[in-house]
């Protein structure tokens, strides 16, 4: 490709006089040029912004060294006898050298350069003599290299924009001639041809790549779509399908990462990050960034129709208005994102946040393909919601919302399980007494209201881990876990009888006194559930035969009362702690038997009773009153109850009394090390070790838990009439005396072993039980 070039040159002050060379008018299609006698004139008026855009479109600045550029420059220098030369491209603020002779510099500031002079004058050839060189800041050292004259030749693109310059520096003046001018312009034309040929080739290559990309994308789209064709049977499978879909997109489009969010109860919950095969190692740190849930926007807010998908434009981090992690994204080098939101029936149900290497990886055509693939997601969501609704109808009772018989069977498969160790659960089978009379006397609408109320009371009386089902007209089954003692089961039965038996008033004013019979059995999870339910059903009929509104299990009846008052769920006993004189109360021991279920209201009641009694203790001399909490463990649920009670008491006492938590090392239920660590971490209470040295390795516990007290709240079994306590207690006293720990013993020890104990100054005594 050859372009006509106007002859001529322009001299600056101090240059050689112009050579009279014929300068004919030259015309280009669409461009009108008038050349005067003294200079190569401006070919067209062009703004700097347009020129820079033309330069960028050549796509030459970020290319590697080009051997053809060097070849043209070497040939030109040999022909005109030039030792110093360069081919440069003129950016907005920088000069980029692509071929050179006599300098090691590859880029330098544009300001003050000879290239800048030529571009601003917008001419073809510029000559500078030695008088002007001293004022220029140039990579050629004019003085050291004894350069006397410089020629600068414009290199234009096909739109006549000056994109670069050919600079030749001579150590002596040379005559300007038509032949010399044509040689310079010919070299510039060769560079233009290479630049334009490269651009044409790049365009052709891009077209070929687009064609190949189109084929690849079509097959990629088919592969991505195949991840969404499987049947979604439940919510977990639905999550897996969306995750597989997102991973396939990362693999096919070669993107870096994707965060998946699913809607739950009005919140968008971040599930996980997944990564593409080309993700940089630093991007993997995204897994360590916690993303907090955000409110799921409604379809009205996002102007979305139900079951539709929206793909955002390419976003930079400031565009992620809902993300609190924008700063951390930037710290990891993430800048480009694509946000996909899939609308459910009323709110956004799925959010996919894709991390892209750059905005260039998603041209318009590829984005259209991506949007077509994303449009399949709403159908998966619709199908998943539909299947979920059908599953719910099949497994839940329509009237009460509880599980039905099929739902209970699916929750606990009837076939024996051989996968793990057995777990014991308790089955409560409940049946309303004389429910048929309610329907016959007051009508089925009132009967239905009663069933709904009973289901609500069951849910309030049970725990979230318990499964509740309505398996017949007025028959309910509860599968509960975590009961280690018969006493726990009895307390729960009393709670059911008490709560379900409260008076019920229907919407029409009908007043009913509900009664319920309960049958109980124990289910080993390695056996079929149906057998345990059948046994509980049998015991329920035994409760009805005994008059109803009671519970029956193998070996006991709810009417036995178990030594508890009706509705009682916990017990507190107090004992006074005195000094050696046995008349000066210095503290209080509170023994607490907690409810077998987590009950914050009861914890508050227990706290109030303990703190009210503890504040009656007069403050001893030189110390604070002492409050010791000894929690009697009956089930593993006492872990949470115990910690809640200790925290509550410590907070209410407010530092006015020393609070010590008794950790009995002979407990078979509570994990003492875990409890002690939690107590120390929470603060507000010190540790008192109970029954130390009754079994091996207690010394290790003493070192680990760092107690402030040793306590034996009741005499050791089997103590004799000797003058000294049992050996284990003597060992304990010796160790705690050595460590300076206060020992607290039963008052009976003082009466029997007073002479022996007089050797130990740090000893307090527990008095007999007292009332509140």
């Amino acid at each position: 490709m050859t372009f006509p070039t106007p002859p001529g040159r322009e001299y600056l002050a101090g240059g050689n006089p112009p050579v009279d060379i014929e300068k004919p008018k030259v015309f280009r299609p669409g461009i009108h040029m008038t050349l005067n006698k003294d200079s190569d004139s401006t070919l067209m008026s062009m703004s700097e912004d347009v020129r820079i855009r033309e330069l960028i479109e050549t796509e030459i600045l970020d290319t590697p060294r080009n051997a053809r550029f060097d070849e043209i420059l070497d040939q030109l220098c040999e022909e005109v006898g030039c030792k110093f030369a360069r081919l440069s491209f003129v950016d907005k603020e920088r000069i980029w050298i692509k071929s050179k002779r006599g300098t090691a510099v590859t880029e330098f500031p544009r300001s003050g350069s000879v290239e800048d002079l030529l571009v601003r004058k917008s001419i073809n050839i510029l000559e500078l003599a030695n008088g002007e060189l001293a004022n220029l800041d140039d990579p050629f050292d004019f003085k050291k290299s004894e350069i006397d004259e410089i020629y600068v030749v414009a290199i234009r693109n096909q739109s006549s924009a000056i994109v670069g310059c050919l600079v030749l520096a001579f150590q002596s003046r040379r005559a300007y001639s038509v032949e010399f001018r044509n040689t310079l312009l010919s070299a510039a034309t060769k560079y233009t041809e290479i630049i334009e040929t490269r651009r044409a080739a790049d365009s052709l290559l891009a077209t070929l790549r687009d064609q190949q990309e189109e084929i690849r994308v079509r097959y990629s789209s088919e592969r991505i779509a195949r991840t969404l064709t499987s049947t979604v049977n439940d919510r977990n499978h639905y999550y897996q399908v969306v995750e597989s879909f997102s991973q396939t997109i990362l693999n096919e489009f070669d993107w870096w990462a994707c965060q998946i969010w699913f809607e739950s109860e009005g919140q968008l919950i971040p599930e996980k990050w997944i990564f593409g095969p080309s993700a940089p190692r630093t991007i993997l740190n995204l897994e360590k960034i916690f993303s907090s849930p955000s409110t799921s926007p409604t379809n009205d807010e996002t102007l979305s129709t139900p079951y539709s998908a929206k793909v955002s434009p390419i976003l930079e981090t400031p565009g992620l208005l809902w993300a609190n992690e924008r700063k951390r994204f930037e710290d990891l080098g993430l800048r480009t994102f694509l946000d996909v939101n899939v609308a459910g029936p009323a709110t956004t149900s799925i959010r996919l946040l894709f991390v892209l290497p750059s905005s260039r990886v998603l041209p318009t055509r590829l984005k259209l393909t991506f949007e077509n693939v994303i449009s399949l997601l709403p159908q998966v969501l619709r199908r998943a919601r539909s299947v979920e609704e059908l599953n719910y109808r099949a497994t839940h009772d329509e009237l009460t919302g509880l599980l039905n018989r099929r739902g209970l069977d699916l929750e606990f498969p009837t076939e024996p399980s051989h996968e793990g160790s057995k777990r014991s659960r308790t089955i409560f089978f409940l049946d309303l007494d004389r429910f048929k009379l309610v329907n016959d006397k007051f009508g089925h609408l009132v009967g239905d209201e009663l069933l709904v109320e009973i289901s609500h009371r069951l849910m309030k009386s049970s725990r979230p881990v318990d499964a509740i089902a309505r398996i017949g007209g007025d028959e309910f089954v509860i599968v509960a876990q975590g009961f280690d003692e018969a006493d726990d089961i009895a307390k729960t039965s009393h709670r059911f009888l008490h709560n379900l038996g409260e008076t019920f008033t229907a919407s029409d004013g009908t007043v009913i006194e509900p009664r319920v019979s309960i049958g109980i059995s124990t289910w080993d999870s390695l056996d079929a559930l149906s057998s345990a339910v059948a046994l509980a059903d049998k015991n329920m009929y035994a409760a009805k035969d005994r008059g109803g509104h009671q519970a029956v299990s193998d070996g006991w009846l709810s009417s036995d009362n178990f030594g508890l008052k009706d509705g009682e769920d916990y017990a507190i006993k107090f004992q006074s702690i005195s000094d050696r004189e046995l008349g000066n109360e210095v503290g209080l021991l509170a023994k607490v038997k907690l409810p077998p279920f987590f009950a914050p209201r009861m914890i508050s009641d227990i706290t109030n009773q303990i703190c009210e009694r503890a504040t009656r203790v007069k403050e001893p001399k030189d110390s604070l009153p002492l409050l010791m909490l000894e929690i009697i463990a009956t089930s593993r649920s006492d872990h949470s109850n115990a910690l809640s009670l200790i925290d509550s008491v410590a907070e209410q006492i407010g530092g006015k009394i020393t609070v010590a938590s008794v950790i009995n090392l002979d407990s078979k239920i509570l994990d003492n090390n875990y409890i002690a660590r939690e107590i120390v971490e929470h603060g507000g209470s010190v540790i008192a070790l109970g029954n130390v040295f009754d079994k091996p390795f207690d010394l290790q516990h003493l070192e680990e838990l760092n107690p402030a007290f040793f306590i034996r709240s009741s005499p050791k079994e089997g103590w004799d009439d000797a003058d000294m306590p049992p050996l284990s207690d003597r060992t304990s006293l010796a160790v705690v005396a050595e460590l300076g720990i206060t020992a607290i013993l039963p008052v009976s020890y003082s009466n029997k072993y007073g002479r022996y104990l007089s050797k130990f100054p740090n000893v307090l005594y527990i008095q007999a039980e007292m009332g509140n």
Side-chain angles (χ1 to χ4, degrees), residues 305-357:
T305 56
Y307 299 110
S308 63
K310 281 190 176 182
V311 179
S312 72
I314 297 293
L315 298 173
E316 302 297 324
T317 44
L320 299 177
L321 300 179
W322 51 268
N324 298 321
E325 299 78 24
R326 285 174 287 178
K327 178 61 170 59
R328 286 175 288 181
F329 287 164
E330 291 179 349
D331 292 342
L332 291 176
L334 309 185
R335 295 293 186 273
T336 309
F337 301 87
L338 199 65
D339 189 22
V340 176
N341 289 279
V342 180
T347 63
T348 298
S349 294
I350 306 173
R351 172 177 286 159
L352 303 177
L353 179 63
F354 289 99
V355 180
L356 280 58

Side-chain angles (χ1 to χ4, degrees), residues 601-615:
R601 183 187 60 79
M602 291 186 184
I603 296 300
S604 179
D605 292 342
I606 296 170
T607 299
N608 292 334
Q609 293 183 46
I610 292 175
C611 292
E612 192 278 330
R613 176 60 184 86
T615 54

Side-chain angles (χ1 to χ4, degrees), residues 42 44-52 54 119 122 156-157 159-162:
T42 303
M44 64 178 295
S45 177
M46 183 176 293
S47 70
E48 178 67 2
D49 289 340
V50 173
R51 190 195 70 79
I52 292 299
E54 294 286 341
V119 169
S122 190
R156 300 178 182 268
N157 69 349
S159 299
S160 295
I162 298 177

